[in-house]
Amino acid sequence: MDEIDIRQRARAFLAPLDLRAIKTDLAVYVLAANAILRKEELGVGEAGMTITRPDGKHVITVNSLEGKQRQRYTICHEIAHIVLGLP
């Protein structure tokens, strides 16, 4: 996968989405990625992770001890793994 492919996949993911509230709410990304979001206390240095259930639904878990901006970054990072098909 090269940079052009990554950009095309990202644009295809974003194109149909209503992003008017994205600055305050990432729910539209989570829903589009076929995911649910969980917040829980994780270990030191552990920002988050994604597990894919047998039914194909992704469970994104972010560290509730991290700040809001870091949590948003982690959610977007995990969604990128899903959209790009990366482990």
Side-chain angles (χ1 to χ4, degrees):
M1 178 178 344
D2 61 14
E3 184 178 345
I4 293 171
D5 189 38
I6 291 168
R7 288 175 187 256
Q8 288 174 335
R9 288 182 190 204
R11 287 184 179 127
F13 175 75
L14 294 173
L17 303 180
D18 178 356
L19 301 177
R20 287 177 287 184
I22 204 66
K23 288 185 178 184
T24 58
D25 186 5
L26 294 176
V28 67
Y29 283 173
V30 174
L31 182 63
N34 188 34
I36 58 173
L37 180 62
R38 295 178 51 197
K39 295 182 181 186
E40 64 180 61
E41 292 184 15
L42 300 176
V44 174
E46 191 173 6
M49 64 187 145
T50 298
I51 296 174
T52 303
R53 300 186 322 200
D55 65 0
K57 186 74 129 182
H58 306 284
V59 180
I60 299 171
T61 304
V62 294
N63 192 341
S64 62
L65 299 175
E66 298 278 353
K68 296 292 182 193
Q69 290 298 338
R70 177 60 195 194
Q71 288 181 29
R72 285 178 57 83
Y73 173 87
T74 300
I75 293 165
C76 290
H77 177 91
E78 294 300 321
I79 288 172
H81 279 283
I82 294 166
V83 171
L84 299 175
L86 299 172

